Amino acid sequence: MFEEIRNRKNLQLLFGLLTGIAFGFLLQKGGVTRYDVIIGQLLLEDFTVVKVMLTAVVTGMVGIHFLESLGAVHLHPKPGSVGSSVVGGVIFGVGFGILGYCPGTVMGAVGQGNLDALFGGVTGILIGTAAFASAYPKLERTVLHKGDFGDVTLPLLLKVNQWLVVIPAAMLLGLVLIFLERVGF
Amino acid sequence: MEWFALERWSPYTVGFGIGLLSWISFLLSDKALGCSTAFTRTSGMVERLIRGAKVRKKLYYQKFPPVIEWEWMVVVGIVIGAFISARLSGSFEWQWVPGKWAAAFGDGSIKRTCFALLGGFFMGVGARWAGGCTSGHGISGTLQLAVSSWVAAACFFIGGIGTAFVVYKVLG
């Protein structure tokens, strides 16, 4: 049933738009489209961003693995390596700390009227992605595959049933959230 | 309806909603929610306008062709969704300089925009270097328990926290 829907191109464009509208609505309601909230998180003063992300991860993780065990969805883990995930991750982090939005929330910030997000953030990200595209052939040959670990997931890495990771991980992340509330963040 | 007019929802409600959205996008679209690939496609479209069809020959644009697809529409939708939410709560406001920035560095819009451009540049490079952003790796990848995403998400926050402390506690 879903295969048929997934292959209908124009319907998927509409689904994308609707998914984005719901995502943007939620991000704005959560306050995470605001520069002050994101910088507050990075300065460890306001834990809204972490609370939103961890709740989404726990909810998504349990649901997706359940649907996967029914054969209703396929996982799409991304490949990674030290040269790509660590180096790229830190470069992203530097941008995160200066810009105070991320590629999703910067669009939400535009939607709520933030002009620095539009003229600075979006423009800067586009220039950055274009610069990366130009440097890609060279980076691909040199750094991107250093210390490759492929598209492995934690259950595959540990060679255990997925639920043996999903359940403890969900409990651990839940405890982190309870801890954050307890200490008053 | 009153609920939709609230300025803020609990972060747990919002997180739960985003989690549900991930189920829907996997089920209906066979996709993990993400954003930064759409920026690559857009920069490819802009480059094609400036430099012509030869842009298509670039290796990275062969991997991610400059076309409109599901994720590109998601990114457009985010602007609309945030606009609707902000209008419903009356929090929509044109603003050049966010409050926290203004308190530390003044309310000059050119200074803030230049820093946002610089930050955006690093973010664009880093997102593609790492193969994803706070959505694609930080939420969608970690919930699939992908090792690459947990590593990348940790590095996003290590780099972000370090940089924010330098910006606010050293320069500010």
Side-chain angles (χ1 to χ4, degrees), chain B residues 34-65:
Chain B
C35 293
S36 69
T37 313
F39 283 87
T40 295
R41 296 189 198 278
T42 309
S43 68
M45 291 174 205
V46 176
E47 266 195 73
R48 199 175 49 192
L49 279 178
I50 299 168
R51 300 178 48 234
K54 64 181 183 211
V55 167
R56 284 259 189 182
K57 291 212 179 80
K58 277 195 180 177
L59 196 58
Y60 204 60
Y61 294 137
Q62 285 174 13
K63 211 173 155 194
F64 300 106

Short mmCIF file of all heavy atoms in Angstrom, two decimals, chain B residues 34-65:
data_model
loop_
_atom_site.label_atom_id
_atom_site.label_comp_id
_atom_site.label_asym_id
_atom_site.label_seq_id
_atom_site.Cartn_x
_atom_site.Cartn_y
_atom_site.Cartn_z
N GLY B 34 15.04 15.66 7.10
CA GLY B 34 16.33 16.36 7.06
C GLY B 34 16.18 17.67 6.33
O GLY B 34 15.11 17.95 5.79
N CYS B 35 17.22 18.50 6.35
CA CYS B 35 17.12 19.83 5.73
C CYS B 35 18.29 20.19 4.85
O CYS B 35 18.13 20.88 3.85
CB CYS B 35 17.01 20.90 6.81
SG CYS B 35 15.48 20.82 7.73
N SER B 36 19.51 19.78 5.21
CA SER B 36 20.66 20.44 4.59
C SER B 36 20.90 20.04 3.14
O SER B 36 21.46 20.80 2.37
CB SER B 36 21.92 20.27 5.43
OG SER B 36 22.35 18.94 5.44
N THR B 37 20.43 18.85 2.72
CA THR B 37 20.58 18.47 1.31
C THR B 37 19.83 19.45 0.41
O THR B 37 20.27 19.77 -0.69
CB THR B 37 20.04 17.05 1.06
OG1 THR B 37 20.56 16.20 2.07
CG2 THR B 37 20.46 16.52 -0.29
N ALA B 38 18.70 19.97 0.92
CA ALA B 38 17.92 20.93 0.13
C ALA B 38 18.73 22.20 -0.14
O ALA B 38 18.58 22.82 -1.19
CB ALA B 38 16.62 21.28 0.87
N PHE B 39 19.61 22.56 0.80
CA PHE B 39 20.46 23.74 0.57
C PHE B 39 21.47 23.46 -0.54
O PHE B 39 21.76 24.33 -1.36
CB PHE B 39 21.18 24.14 1.87
CG PHE B 39 20.28 24.88 2.84
CD1 PHE B 39 19.50 24.18 3.75
CD2 PHE B 39 20.22 26.25 2.83
CE1 PHE B 39 18.68 24.85 4.65
CE2 PHE B 39 19.40 26.94 3.72
CZ PHE B 39 18.62 26.24 4.63
N THR B 40 22.01 22.24 -0.58
CA THR B 40 22.92 21.87 -1.66
C THR B 40 22.21 21.97 -3.01
O THR B 40 22.74 22.52 -3.96
CB THR B 40 23.41 20.42 -1.47
OG1 THR B 40 24.19 20.37 -0.28
CG2 THR B 40 24.24 19.95 -2.65
N ARG B 41 20.99 21.42 -3.06
CA ARG B 41 20.24 21.46 -4.32
C ARG B 41 19.99 22.91 -4.75
O ARG B 41 20.11 23.26 -5.92
CB ARG B 41 18.92 20.71 -4.18
CG ARG B 41 19.11 19.23 -3.91
CD ARG B 41 17.79 18.48 -3.99
NE ARG B 41 17.85 17.18 -3.34
CZ ARG B 41 18.33 16.08 -3.90
NH1 ARG B 41 18.79 16.12 -5.14
NH2 ARG B 41 18.37 14.94 -3.24
N THR B 42 19.65 23.77 -3.76
CA THR B 42 19.38 25.17 -4.08
C THR B 42 20.65 25.88 -4.55
O THR B 42 20.61 26.64 -5.52
CB THR B 42 18.79 25.89 -2.85
OG1 THR B 42 17.71 25.12 -2.36
CG2 THR B 42 18.32 27.28 -3.22
N SER B 43 21.78 25.62 -3.87
CA SER B 43 23.01 26.29 -4.32
C SER B 43 23.36 25.82 -5.73
O SER B 43 23.86 26.60 -6.54
CB SER B 43 24.16 26.09 -3.32
OG SER B 43 24.57 24.75 -3.30
N GLY B 44 23.05 24.57 -6.05
CA GLY B 44 23.24 24.07 -7.41
C GLY B 44 22.37 24.80 -8.42
O GLY B 44 22.80 25.15 -9.51
N MET B 45 21.11 25.07 -8.00
CA MET B 45 20.19 25.81 -8.90
C MET B 45 20.71 27.23 -9.14
O MET B 45 20.68 27.73 -10.26
CB MET B 45 18.79 25.89 -8.27
CG MET B 45 18.07 24.56 -8.19
SD MET B 45 16.50 24.77 -7.27
CE MET B 45 16.26 23.11 -6.66
N VAL B 46 21.17 27.87 -8.05
CA VAL B 46 21.68 29.24 -8.18
C VAL B 46 22.94 29.25 -9.05
O VAL B 46 23.07 30.08 -9.96
CB VAL B 46 21.99 29.86 -6.79
CG1 VAL B 46 22.62 31.23 -6.94
CG2 VAL B 46 20.72 29.93 -5.96
N GLU B 47 23.84 28.29 -8.81
CA GLU B 47 25.07 28.21 -9.62
C GLU B 47 24.75 27.99 -11.10
O GLU B 47 25.43 28.52 -11.97
CB GLU B 47 25.96 27.07 -9.12
CG GLU B 47 27.01 27.51 -8.12
CD GLU B 47 28.07 26.45 -7.94
OE1 GLU B 47 28.91 26.27 -8.84
OE2 GLU B 47 28.05 25.78 -6.88
N ARG B 48 23.71 27.16 -11.33
CA ARG B 48 23.34 26.88 -12.72
C ARG B 48 22.84 28.15 -13.40
O ARG B 48 23.12 28.38 -14.57
CB ARG B 48 22.28 25.79 -12.77
CG ARG B 48 22.18 25.13 -14.14
CD ARG B 48 21.22 23.97 -14.12
NE ARG B 48 19.96 24.35 -13.50
CZ ARG B 48 19.01 23.48 -13.14
NH1 ARG B 48 19.20 22.20 -13.29
NH2 ARG B 48 17.90 23.90 -12.60
N LEU B 49 22.11 28.99 -12.65
CA LEU B 49 21.62 30.26 -13.21
C LEU B 49 22.79 31.15 -13.59
O LEU B 49 22.76 31.85 -14.59
CB LEU B 49 20.76 30.99 -12.18
CG LEU B 49 19.31 30.55 -12.03
CD1 LEU B 49 18.64 31.36 -10.93
CD2 LEU B 49 18.57 30.74 -13.35
N ILE B 50 23.85 31.13 -12.77
CA ILE B 50 24.98 32.03 -12.99
C ILE B 50 25.95 31.46 -14.02
O ILE B 50 26.39 32.14 -14.93
CB ILE B 50 25.72 32.29 -11.65
CG1 ILE B 50 24.77 32.95 -10.64
CG2 ILE B 50 26.95 33.18 -11.87
CD1 ILE B 50 25.30 32.98 -9.22
N ARG B 51 26.25 30.16 -13.90
CA ARG B 51 27.34 29.60 -14.70
C ARG B 51 26.88 28.64 -15.79
O ARG B 51 27.69 28.13 -16.56
CB ARG B 51 28.35 28.91 -13.78
CG ARG B 51 28.96 29.89 -12.77
CD ARG B 51 29.93 29.24 -11.80
NE ARG B 51 30.89 28.40 -12.50
CZ ARG B 51 31.12 27.12 -12.20
NH1 ARG B 51 30.44 26.54 -11.26
NH2 ARG B 51 32.01 26.44 -12.86
N GLY B 52 25.58 28.38 -15.86
CA GLY B 52 25.06 27.55 -16.94
C GLY B 52 25.08 26.06 -16.65
O GLY B 52 25.42 25.63 -15.55
N ALA B 53 24.74 25.27 -17.67
CA ALA B 53 24.47 23.84 -17.50
C ALA B 53 25.70 23.03 -17.08
O ALA B 53 25.57 21.93 -16.56
CB ALA B 53 23.90 23.27 -18.80
N LYS B 54 26.91 23.59 -17.28
CA LYS B 54 28.12 22.82 -16.93
C LYS B 54 28.20 22.52 -15.43
O LYS B 54 28.93 21.62 -15.01
CB LYS B 54 29.38 23.57 -17.40
CG LYS B 54 29.59 24.90 -16.71
CD LYS B 54 30.85 25.60 -17.23
CE LYS B 54 31.06 26.89 -16.47
NZ LYS B 54 31.68 27.95 -17.16
N VAL B 55 27.43 23.28 -14.63
CA VAL B 55 27.39 23.05 -13.19
C VAL B 55 26.98 21.61 -12.88
O VAL B 55 27.46 21.00 -11.93
CB VAL B 55 26.44 24.07 -12.53
CG1 VAL B 55 26.12 23.69 -11.09
CG2 VAL B 55 27.04 25.45 -12.58
N ARG B 56 26.11 21.07 -13.72
CA ARG B 56 25.64 19.69 -13.55
C ARG B 56 26.77 18.68 -13.54
O ARG B 56 26.63 17.58 -13.04
CB ARG B 56 24.67 19.34 -14.70
CG ARG B 56 23.30 19.94 -14.54
CD ARG B 56 22.35 18.89 -14.02
NE ARG B 56 20.97 19.36 -14.06
CZ ARG B 56 19.96 18.64 -13.62
NH1 ARG B 56 20.16 17.43 -13.15
NH2 ARG B 56 18.74 19.13 -13.65
N LYS B 57 27.90 19.08 -14.17
CA LYS B 57 29.04 18.15 -14.26
C LYS B 57 29.76 18.00 -12.94
O LYS B 57 30.51 17.06 -12.74
CB LYS B 57 30.03 18.63 -15.33
CG LYS B 57 29.49 18.53 -16.75
CD LYS B 57 30.64 18.26 -17.73
CE LYS B 57 30.17 18.12 -19.15
NZ LYS B 57 29.92 19.42 -19.80
N LYS B 58 29.55 18.97 -12.02
CA LYS B 58 30.23 18.87 -10.72
C LYS B 58 29.82 17.58 -10.02
O LYS B 58 28.64 17.26 -9.91
CB LYS B 58 29.85 20.06 -9.84
CG LYS B 58 30.66 21.30 -10.12
CD LYS B 58 30.47 22.30 -8.98
CE LYS B 58 31.28 23.55 -9.22
NZ LYS B 58 31.06 24.55 -8.18
N LEU B 59 30.83 16.88 -9.52
CA LEU B 59 30.62 15.58 -8.90
C LEU B 59 29.54 15.62 -7.81
O LEU B 59 28.67 14.76 -7.73
CB LEU B 59 31.96 15.12 -8.31
CG LEU B 59 32.09 13.64 -7.94
CD1 LEU B 59 31.83 12.77 -9.16
CD2 LEU B 59 33.49 13.36 -7.38
N TYR B 60 29.59 16.67 -6.97
CA TYR B 60 28.66 16.72 -5.84
C TYR B 60 27.23 16.95 -6.31
O TYR B 60 26.29 16.45 -5.70
CB TYR B 60 29.08 17.81 -4.86
CG TYR B 60 28.55 17.55 -3.46
CD1 TYR B 60 28.91 16.40 -2.77
CD2 TYR B 60 27.68 18.44 -2.83
CE1 TYR B 60 28.43 16.14 -1.51
CE2 TYR B 60 27.19 18.18 -1.55
CZ TYR B 60 27.57 17.03 -0.90
OH TYR B 60 27.09 16.77 0.35
N TYR B 61 27.06 17.70 -7.41
CA TYR B 61 25.71 17.94 -7.93
C TYR B 61 25.21 16.74 -8.73
O TYR B 61 24.02 16.64 -9.05
CB TYR B 61 25.67 19.22 -8.77
CG TYR B 61 25.92 20.47 -7.95
CD1 TYR B 61 26.74 21.49 -8.42
CD2 TYR B 61 25.31 20.64 -6.71
CE1 TYR B 61 26.97 22.63 -7.67
CE2 TYR B 61 25.55 21.78 -5.95
CZ TYR B 61 26.37 22.77 -6.43
OH TYR B 61 26.59 23.90 -5.69
N GLN B 62 26.12 15.83 -9.09
CA GLN B 62 25.65 14.56 -9.68
C GLN B 62 25.09 13.66 -8.58
O GLN B 62 24.14 12.93 -8.78
CB GLN B 62 26.79 13.88 -10.43
CG GLN B 62 27.08 14.57 -11.74
CD GLN B 62 28.30 14.02 -12.45
OE1 GLN B 62 28.82 12.97 -12.10
NE2 GLN B 62 28.76 14.76 -13.44
N LYS B 63 25.72 13.78 -7.42
CA LYS B 63 25.26 13.01 -6.28
C LYS B 63 23.92 13.57 -5.76
O LYS B 63 23.01 12.83 -5.41
CB LYS B 63 26.32 13.10 -5.17
CG LYS B 63 26.40 11.90 -4.29
CD LYS B 63 27.60 12.00 -3.34
CE LYS B 63 27.34 11.17 -2.11
NZ LYS B 63 28.26 11.46 -1.01
N PHE B 64 23.84 14.89 -5.68
CA PHE B 64 22.61 15.57 -5.24
C PHE B 64 22.19 16.57 -6.31
O PHE B 64 22.51 17.75 -6.23
CB PHE B 64 22.86 16.31 -3.91
CG PHE B 64 23.27 15.41 -2.78
CD1 PHE B 64 24.58 15.39 -2.34
CD2 PHE B 64 22.34 14.57 -2.16
CE1 PHE B 64 24.97 14.55 -1.29
CE2 PHE B 64 22.72 13.73 -1.12
CZ PHE B 64 24.04 13.72 -0.69
N PRO B 65 21.49 16.10 -7.35
CA PRO B 65 21.14 16.99 -8.48
C PRO B 65 20.29 18.19 -8.02
O PRO B 65 19.49 18.06 -7.08
CB PRO B 65 20.32 16.08 -9.40
CG PRO B 65 20.62 14.70 -8.97
CD PRO B 65 20.95 14.76 -7.52
#
